[in-house]
Amino acid sequence: GGEEAWHKSLEPNQDARGAMKDRRVPVADNAVRLAVGPGPSQKYPEGGDPRPGPARKGQELLKFLGMVIVYYWSNSFVILTNKQLMSHMGFNFPITLTCMHMTTTVLFSSLIIDVLQAFEKQAVASEKQRRSIRWLAIQFAVSLICGNWSLRFIDVSYMEMVGATTPFFVCILGFVFFGTLYSNRVYASCVVIVGGGFLSTYGKASGGKGFTVIGLVLSLAATFFRGLKTVWQGHLLQGEEKLSSPNLLRYMAADAAVILFALALVLEGRGLLAWLGSNESSGYKFWQLAALLVVNPMTAYGANYSQFVLIQHSSALTFQVIGNTKGILNVICGMLIFGDFVNPTAAGGYAITLLGVAWYIREKRSSQ
């Protein structure tokens, strides 16, 4: 979708004697956009060709892989500590926890953009873009609330197994809202990925441990809105009125924080006050709970920022494939840390998912 919008924005150059040929240059890599050559009367700045060479491509690839590592670590840490806070430390307030994540993201974004000026500050270009950001904030808030809430009823491994079906929603919703189309082989690889996720889910449900209907419904809702958010987010990062990753994250998080604060006040306010005034002990010291409530939202900023950057420099579907492989890491951590039970059927489903991921990457490379 982002490549099509970029191509459409390039108009053929014309001179006084007639139309010249379209000077559009094809995209050679999802992570690196080639620049269009100058017109006959123009020169490259400082006499250089702005098109990236092999060294530049290598640098961009290293940055992309580095951001993938940041996303893996920060996302896994946040999910595992969310589970620890709500299931083992008595902090059963998913909306409040999500609001803390978004508030921290706003503070860090303002620090980096306004104070440190590490990134150029961008303003919202139009009222249409403003509405799109608000809609993205709602999707983001709902997906995070449902995902965090589901951890009260299911374990980490099962939540990740359900989340493996996200590429299916990305494909469908991308076509519905923006007419995004992929090759038949890419769709076939998504079938394999989703099929592996369903087999994993079946194995988990048949095992009888770590499965509840409420948890399944919440996980499916989180997966649907995550797919919708990813498609919409890719449009805002790569569309005609695109914003940079830090700026879009800042605007979106501010809107989401307001929405989540209002929901937390209405739905969890009394319960949170009662919890703060109670003397019940979860077996953990106060400083341990306080430290985790500080570190967890701070790490959530890293997870959110790396997610936005990966979508901007690849595509919505590619990001979801990266998310699937991250899910395998979380399943392993869930088994080691929380003792999640994963039977051979569920493990076999994840093996199929890995094959689908490998097939998808192969098809994307062959099409470039």
Side-chain angles (χ1 to χ4, degrees), residues 133-162:
I133 293 174
R134 291 194 186 102
W135 178 225
L136 175 66
I138 294 173
Q139 298 165 14
F140 203 33
V142 173
S143 67
L144 289 176
I145 289 173
C146 292
N148 290 339
W149 198 359
S150 70
L151 289 172
R152 292 180 57 185
F153 305 99
I154 58 177
D155 54 34
V156 172
S157 61
Y158 184 60
M159 183 190 72
E160 292 292 352
M161 291 173 185
V162 176

mmCIF file of all heavy atoms in Angstrom, residues 133-162:
data_model
loop_
_atom_site.group_PDB
_atom_site.id
_atom_site.type_symbol
_atom_site.label_atom_id
_atom_site.label_comp_id
_atom_site.label_asym_id
_atom_site.label_seq_id
_atom_site.Cartn_x
_atom_site.Cartn_y
_atom_site.Cartn_z
ATOM 1 N N ILE A 133 -5.762 9.899 12.900
ATOM 2 C CA ILE A 133 -4.946 9.632 14.080
ATOM 3 C C ILE A 133 -5.833 9.276 15.274
ATOM 4 O O ILE A 133 -5.512 8.370 16.057
ATOM 5 C CB ILE A 133 -4.064 10.855 14.398
ATOM 6 C CG1 ILE A 133 -3.028 11.059 13.285
ATOM 7 C CG2 ILE A 133 -3.366 10.693 15.747
ATOM 8 C CD1 ILE A 133 -2.205 12.321 13.444
ATOM 9 N N ARG A 134 -6.961 9.979 15.417
ATOM 10 C CA ARG A 134 -7.884 9.644 16.514
ATOM 11 C C ARG A 134 -8.427 8.234 16.351
ATOM 12 O O ARG A 134 -8.550 7.481 17.324
ATOM 13 C CB ARG A 134 -9.041 10.649 16.553
ATOM 14 C CG ARG A 134 -8.639 12.050 16.982
ATOM 15 C CD ARG A 134 -9.854 12.878 17.332
ATOM 16 N NE ARG A 134 -9.501 14.272 17.601
ATOM 17 C CZ ARG A 134 -9.680 15.266 16.744
ATOM 18 N NH1 ARG A 134 -10.225 15.011 15.557
ATOM 19 N NH2 ARG A 134 -9.336 16.496 17.062
ATOM 20 N N TRP A 135 -8.758 7.874 15.121
ATOM 21 C CA TRP A 135 -9.271 6.529 14.852
ATOM 22 C C TRP A 135 -8.201 5.488 15.159
ATOM 23 O O TRP A 135 -8.477 4.432 15.720
ATOM 24 C CB TRP A 135 -9.725 6.449 13.407
ATOM 25 C CG TRP A 135 -10.231 5.143 12.916
ATOM 26 C CD1 TRP A 135 -9.907 4.542 11.738
ATOM 27 C CD2 TRP A 135 -11.173 4.256 13.543
ATOM 28 N NE1 TRP A 135 -10.566 3.347 11.598
ATOM 29 C CE2 TRP A 135 -11.352 3.149 12.692
ATOM 30 C CE3 TRP A 135 -11.875 4.298 14.755
ATOM 31 C CZ2 TRP A 135 -12.195 2.090 13.004
ATOM 32 C CZ3 TRP A 135 -12.723 3.233 15.068
ATOM 33 C CH2 TRP A 135 -12.878 2.157 14.196
ATOM 34 N N LEU A 136 -6.948 5.787 14.815
ATOM 35 C CA LEU A 136 -5.833 4.894 15.135
ATOM 36 C C LEU A 136 -5.674 4.745 16.650
ATOM 37 O O LEU A 136 -5.419 3.638 17.148
ATOM 38 C CB LEU A 136 -4.539 5.425 14.518
ATOM 39 C CG LEU A 136 -3.258 4.658 14.853
ATOM 40 C CD1 LEU A 136 -3.312 3.252 14.251
ATOM 41 C CD2 LEU A 136 -2.032 5.402 14.332
ATOM 42 N N ALA A 137 -5.836 5.848 17.379
ATOM 43 C CA ALA A 137 -5.705 5.806 18.843
ATOM 44 C C ALA A 137 -6.767 4.899 19.460
ATOM 45 O O ALA A 137 -6.478 4.143 20.395
ATOM 46 C CB ALA A 137 -5.822 7.222 19.414
ATOM 47 N N ILE A 138 -7.990 4.962 18.930
ATOM 48 C CA ILE A 138 -9.061 4.096 19.442
ATOM 49 C C ILE A 138 -8.728 2.635 19.186
ATOM 50 O O ILE A 138 -8.873 1.773 20.065
ATOM 51 C CB ILE A 138 -10.409 4.479 18.791
ATOM 52 C CG1 ILE A 138 -10.838 5.876 19.238
ATOM 53 C CG2 ILE A 138 -11.489 3.459 19.145
ATOM 54 C CD1 ILE A 138 -12.066 6.406 18.522
ATOM 55 N N GLN A 139 -8.273 2.335 17.964
ATOM 56 C CA GLN A 139 -7.908 0.957 17.626
ATOM 57 C C GLN A 139 -6.777 0.465 18.532
ATOM 58 O O GLN A 139 -6.808 -0.677 19.030
ATOM 59 C CB GLN A 139 -7.474 0.881 16.170
ATOM 60 C CG GLN A 139 -8.548 1.250 15.173
ATOM 61 C CD GLN A 139 -7.974 1.515 13.798
ATOM 62 O OE1 GLN A 139 -6.830 1.193 13.508
ATOM 63 N NE2 GLN A 139 -8.765 2.120 12.934
ATOM 64 N N PHE A 140 -5.781 1.317 18.714
ATOM 65 C CA PHE A 140 -4.630 0.952 19.541
ATOM 66 C C PHE A 140 -5.055 0.689 20.982
ATOM 67 O O PHE A 140 -4.630 -0.295 21.602
ATOM 68 C CB PHE A 140 -3.606 2.085 19.472
ATOM 69 C CG PHE A 140 -2.204 1.655 19.787
ATOM 70 C CD1 PHE A 140 -1.752 0.397 19.450
ATOM 71 C CD2 PHE A 140 -1.328 2.531 20.412
ATOM 72 C CE1 PHE A 140 -0.443 0.007 19.720
ATOM 73 C CE2 PHE A 140 -0.021 2.157 20.692
ATOM 74 C CZ PHE A 140 0.421 0.887 20.336
ATOM 75 N N ALA A 141 -5.908 1.571 21.514
ATOM 76 C CA ALA A 141 -6.358 1.426 22.899
ATOM 77 C C ALA A 141 -7.148 0.135 23.090
ATOM 78 O O ALA A 141 -6.924 -0.611 24.049
ATOM 79 C CB ALA A 141 -7.204 2.635 23.299
ATOM 80 N N VAL A 142 -8.071 -0.146 22.164
ATOM 81 C CA VAL A 142 -8.897 -1.350 22.289
ATOM 82 C C VAL A 142 -8.052 -2.616 22.177
ATOM 83 O O VAL A 142 -8.231 -3.574 22.945
ATOM 84 C CB VAL A 142 -10.011 -1.351 21.216
ATOM 85 C CG1 VAL A 142 -10.774 -2.675 21.229
ATOM 86 C CG2 VAL A 142 -10.973 -0.197 21.455
ATOM 87 N N SER A 143 -7.106 -2.631 21.226
ATOM 88 C CA SER A 143 -6.267 -3.822 21.052
ATOM 89 C C SER A 143 -5.411 -4.085 22.288
ATOM 90 O O SER A 143 -5.264 -5.230 22.727
ATOM 91 C CB SER A 143 -5.380 -3.679 19.810
ATOM 92 O OG SER A 143 -4.419 -2.653 19.983
ATOM 93 N N LEU A 144 -4.859 -3.012 22.879
ATOM 94 C CA LEU A 144 -4.028 -3.179 24.065
ATOM 95 C C LEU A 144 -4.850 -3.595 25.287
ATOM 96 O O LEU A 144 -4.428 -4.459 26.065
ATOM 97 C CB LEU A 144 -3.280 -1.885 24.362
ATOM 98 C CG LEU A 144 -2.151 -1.515 23.391
ATOM 99 C CD1 LEU A 144 -1.568 -0.157 23.756
ATOM 100 C CD2 LEU A 144 -1.069 -2.571 23.393
ATOM 101 N N ILE A 145 -6.029 -2.991 25.450
ATOM 102 C CA ILE A 145 -6.881 -3.354 26.588
ATOM 103 C C ILE A 145 -7.275 -4.824 26.509
ATOM 104 O O ILE A 145 -7.166 -5.564 27.497
ATOM 105 C CB ILE A 145 -8.139 -2.467 26.623
ATOM 106 C CG1 ILE A 145 -7.772 -1.036 27.021
ATOM 107 C CG2 ILE A 145 -9.159 -3.023 27.616
ATOM 108 C CD1 ILE A 145 -8.933 -0.070 26.921
ATOM 109 N N CYS A 146 -7.749 -5.257 25.345
ATOM 110 C CA CYS A 146 -8.174 -6.654 25.191
ATOM 111 C C CYS A 146 -7.010 -7.617 25.384
ATOM 112 O O CYS A 146 -7.148 -8.668 26.018
ATOM 113 C CB CYS A 146 -8.801 -6.860 23.816
ATOM 114 S SG CYS A 146 -10.380 -6.019 23.574
ATOM 115 N N GLY A 147 -5.830 -7.248 24.834
ATOM 116 C CA GLY A 147 -4.671 -8.111 24.997
ATOM 117 C C GLY A 147 -4.225 -8.219 26.442
ATOM 118 O O GLY A 147 -3.971 -9.322 26.947
ATOM 119 N N ASN A 148 -4.139 -7.090 27.142
ATOM 120 C CA ASN A 148 -3.745 -7.117 28.550
ATOM 121 C C ASN A 148 -4.791 -7.801 29.419
ATOM 122 O O ASN A 148 -4.459 -8.559 30.345
ATOM 123 C CB ASN A 148 -3.503 -5.690 29.053
ATOM 124 C CG ASN A 148 -2.265 -5.058 28.454
ATOM 125 O OD1 ASN A 148 -1.373 -5.755 27.978
ATOM 126 N ND2 ASN A 148 -2.209 -3.736 28.464
ATOM 127 N N TRP A 149 -6.052 -7.548 29.121
ATOM 128 C CA TRP A 149 -7.136 -8.148 29.898
ATOM 129 C C TRP A 149 -7.159 -9.661 29.737
ATOM 130 O O TRP A 149 -7.438 -10.403 30.685
ATOM 131 C CB TRP A 149 -8.471 -7.540 29.446
ATOM 132 C CG TRP A 149 -9.606 -7.723 30.414
ATOM 133 C CD1 TRP A 149 -9.568 -8.373 31.616
ATOM 134 C CD2 TRP A 149 -10.936 -7.243 30.250
ATOM 135 N NE1 TRP A 149 -10.796 -8.339 32.222
ATOM 136 C CE2 TRP A 149 -11.663 -7.642 31.401
ATOM 137 C CE3 TRP A 149 -11.575 -6.513 29.261
ATOM 138 C CZ2 TRP A 149 -13.002 -7.353 31.560
ATOM 139 C CZ3 TRP A 149 -12.921 -6.211 29.429
ATOM 140 C CH2 TRP A 149 -13.621 -6.629 30.560
ATOM 141 N N SER A 150 -6.857 -10.132 28.536
ATOM 142 C CA SER A 150 -6.894 -11.588 28.292
ATOM 143 C C SER A 150 -5.888 -12.331 29.154
ATOM 144 O O SER A 150 -6.078 -13.518 29.460
ATOM 145 C CB SER A 150 -6.624 -11.873 26.816
ATOM 146 O OG SER A 150 -5.279 -11.592 26.463
ATOM 147 N N LEU A 151 -4.809 -11.656 29.564
ATOM 148 C CA LEU A 151 -3.783 -12.318 30.380
ATOM 149 C C LEU A 151 -4.293 -12.674 31.778
ATOM 150 O O LEU A 151 -3.644 -13.441 32.493
ATOM 151 C CB LEU A 151 -2.554 -11.417 30.492
ATOM 152 C CG LEU A 151 -1.724 -11.263 29.204
ATOM 153 C CD1 LEU A 151 -0.651 -10.216 29.380
ATOM 154 C CD2 LEU A 151 -1.130 -12.593 28.788
ATOM 155 N N ARG A 152 -5.453 -12.148 32.161
ATOM 156 C CA ARG A 152 -6.058 -12.550 33.434
ATOM 157 C C ARG A 152 -6.706 -13.919 33.324
ATOM 158 O O ARG A 152 -6.941 -14.577 34.347
ATOM 159 C CB ARG A 152 -7.111 -11.522 33.868
ATOM 160 C CG ARG A 152 -6.548 -10.165 34.244
ATOM 161 C CD ARG A 152 -7.651 -9.209 34.666
ATOM 162 N NE ARG A 152 -8.447 -9.728 35.785
ATOM 163 C CZ ARG A 152 -9.520 -9.134 36.285
ATOM 164 N NH1 ARG A 152 -9.919 -7.969 35.779
ATOM 165 N NH2 ARG A 152 -10.168 -9.667 37.286
ATOM 166 N N PHE A 153 -7.008 -14.362 32.096
ATOM 167 C CA PHE A 153 -7.772 -15.594 31.907
ATOM 168 C C PHE A 153 -7.009 -16.679 31.153
ATOM 169 O O PHE A 153 -7.389 -17.845 31.220
ATOM 170 C CB PHE A 153 -9.067 -15.283 31.136
ATOM 171 C CG PHE A 153 -9.910 -14.219 31.763
ATOM 172 C CD1 PHE A 153 -9.875 -12.915 31.306
ATOM 173 C CD2 PHE A 153 -10.740 -14.517 32.834
ATOM 174 C CE1 PHE A 153 -10.649 -11.920 31.886
ATOM 175 C CE2 PHE A 153 -11.524 -13.539 33.424
ATOM 176 C CZ PHE A 153 -11.476 -12.236 32.958
ATOM 177 N N ILE A 154 -5.964 -16.322 30.426
ATOM 178 C CA ILE A 154 -5.191 -17.308 29.671
ATOM 179 C C ILE A 154 -3.707 -17.045 29.902
ATOM 180 O O ILE A 154 -3.328 -15.992 30.421
ATOM 181 C CB ILE A 154 -5.490 -17.245 28.156
ATOM 182 C CG1 ILE A 154 -5.198 -15.854 27.598
ATOM 183 C CG2 ILE A 154 -6.932 -17.654 27.870
ATOM 184 C CD1 ILE A 154 -5.395 -15.725 26.108
ATOM 185 N N ASP A 155 -2.876 -17.997 29.519
ATOM 186 C CA ASP A 155 -1.445 -17.793 29.696
ATOM 187 C C ASP A 155 -0.830 -17.135 28.465
ATOM 188 O O ASP A 155 -1.482 -16.947 27.441
ATOM 189 C CB ASP A 155 -0.736 -19.114 30.040
ATOM 190 C CG ASP A 155 -1.018 -20.202 29.025
ATOM 191 O OD1 ASP A 155 -1.160 -19.870 27.829
ATOM 192 O OD2 ASP A 155 -1.083 -21.389 29.411
ATOM 193 N N VAL A 156 0.428 -16.783 28.587
ATOM 194 C CA VAL A 156 1.124 -16.040 27.537
ATOM 195 C C VAL A 156 1.193 -16.846 26.245
ATOM 196 O O VAL A 156 0.973 -16.316 25.146
ATOM 197 C CB VAL A 156 2.542 -15.659 28.007
ATOM 198 C CG1 VAL A 156 3.344 -15.059 26.854
ATOM 199 C CG2 VAL A 156 2.471 -14.680 29.166
ATOM 200 N N SER A 157 1.476 -18.131 26.354
ATOM 201 C CA SER A 157 1.639 -18.948 25.153
ATOM 202 C C SER A 157 0.348 -19.014 24.343
ATOM 203 O O SER A 157 0.375 -18.923 23.110
ATOM 204 C CB SER A 157 2.102 -20.364 25.536
ATOM 205 O OG SER A 157 1.138 -21.008 26.359
ATOM 206 N N TYR A 158 -0.802 -19.155 25.007
ATOM 207 C CA TYR A 158 -2.064 -19.237 24.266
ATOM 208 C C TYR A 158 -2.410 -17.896 23.619
ATOM 209 O O TYR A 158 -2.930 -17.848 22.498
ATOM 210 C CB TYR A 158 -3.186 -19.683 25.189
ATOM 211 C CG TYR A 158 -4.497 -19.878 24.468
ATOM 212 C CD1 TYR A 158 -4.597 -20.798 23.436
ATOM 213 C CD2 TYR A 158 -5.615 -19.131 24.792
ATOM 214 C CE1 TYR A 158 -5.779 -20.979 22.749
ATOM 215 C CE2 TYR A 158 -6.805 -19.300 24.111
ATOM 216 C CZ TYR A 158 -6.877 -20.231 23.101
ATOM 217 O OH TYR A 158 -8.051 -20.393 22.420
ATOM 218 N N MET A 159 -2.125 -16.793 24.301
ATOM 219 C CA MET A 159 -2.380 -15.481 23.716
ATOM 220 C C MET A 159 -1.571 -15.294 22.435
ATOM 221 O O MET A 159 -2.067 -14.764 21.431
ATOM 222 C CB MET A 159 -2.022 -14.375 24.713
ATOM 223 C CG MET A 159 -2.337 -12.965 24.214
ATOM 224 S SD MET A 159 -1.653 -11.648 25.251
ATOM 225 C CE MET A 159 0.088 -11.800 24.861
ATOM 226 N N GLU A 160 -0.327 -15.754 22.430
ATOM 227 C CA GLU A 160 0.504 -15.636 21.246
ATOM 228 C C GLU A 160 0.021 -16.548 20.125
ATOM 229 O O GLU A 160 0.125 -16.207 18.939
ATOM 230 C CB GLU A 160 1.959 -15.959 21.593
ATOM 231 C CG GLU A 160 2.616 -14.944 22.505
ATOM 232 C CD GLU A 160 2.826 -13.596 21.832
ATOM 233 O OE1 GLU A 160 2.598 -13.485 20.610
ATOM 234 O OE2 GLU A 160 3.210 -12.639 22.534
ATOM 235 N N MET A 161 -0.507 -17.695 20.466
ATOM 236 C CA MET A 161 -1.017 -18.612 19.448
ATOM 237 C C MET A 161 -2.218 -18.007 18.716
ATOM 238 O O MET A 161 -2.344 -18.131 17.498
ATOM 239 C CB MET A 161 -1.383 -19.952 20.083
ATOM 240 C CG MET A 161 -0.187 -20.743 20.576
ATOM 241 S SD MET A 161 -0.654 -22.228 21.488
ATOM 242 C CE MET A 161 0.958 -22.804 22.036
ATOM 243 N N VAL A 162 -3.106 -17.387 19.457
ATOM 244 C CA VAL A 162 -4.238 -16.714 18.827
ATOM 245 C C VAL A 162 -3.742 -15.529 17.997
ATOM 246 O O VAL A 162 -4.221 -15.277 16.879
ATOM 247 C CB VAL A 162 -5.255 -16.235 19.882
ATOM 248 C CG1 VAL A 162 -6.387 -15.448 19.238
ATOM 249 C CG2 VAL A 162 -5.827 -17.432 20.640
#
